Amino acid sequence: MYLAAAAALLLVVSPAITAAARASRAGADWRYADGVRAVLDSLSPGVTVRFSYGSSPSADEILLAGDTMRIYDGAGFIAFETSHPVPTMFLLPTVPYSAELVGGMVEVSRVV
């Protein structure tokens, strides 16, 4: 009887927990991508910035391409436009990168 009640409770609560987890992931992804976009948009010629994002390697990757950046939040893509063209590459969470504006285009490289 106890197991049946516990299973029923789990069935009732699971959708709410799943929805909360999705919303949390989407919010974190939005903040990560917006922060990276702000760093890249703030570049000016002659300035090199070192940055990373995410507090865990399990955070989602960010795709840079052309004048946009995208991050998949589990339900779809969140996209941001960038002020300057960016290289086509994936940014990985917790990995340090350096970025600079060269000839009107952002150059991003992994810091080793």
Side-chain angles (χ1 to χ4, degrees):
M1 181 90 142
Y2 174 75
L3 289 177
L9 180 61
L10 190 59
L11 286 174
V12 169
V13 175
S14 287
I17 292 171
T18 302
R22 267 195 209 114
S24 176
R25 178 179 176 184
D29 285 345
W30 190 92
R31 286 186 297 280
Y32 291 148
D34 187 48
V36 170
R37 182 204 48 80
V39 167
L40 299 179
D41 284 355
S42 71
L43 292 172
S44 57
V47 175
T48 301
V49 175
R50 186 174 170 169
F51 71 96
S52 66
Y53 75 94
S55 56
S56 164
S58 64
D60 293 313
E61 299 173 339
I62 295 175
L63 171 64
L64 302 179
D67 61 352
T68 61
M69 51 187 299
R70 294 181 180 90
I71 188 167
Y72 182 71
D73 71 356
F77 285 94
I78 300 170
F80 289 91
E81 289 188 18
T82 57
S83 296
H84 312 287
V86 293
T88 301
M89 65 185 294
F90 280 98
L91 299 179
L92 304 173
T94 71
V95 173
Y97 293 94
S98 68
E100 61 183 321
L101 189 61
V102 178
M105 183 168 178
V106 175
E107 291 186 2
V108 178
S109 57
R110 187 173 178 169
V111 176
V112 262

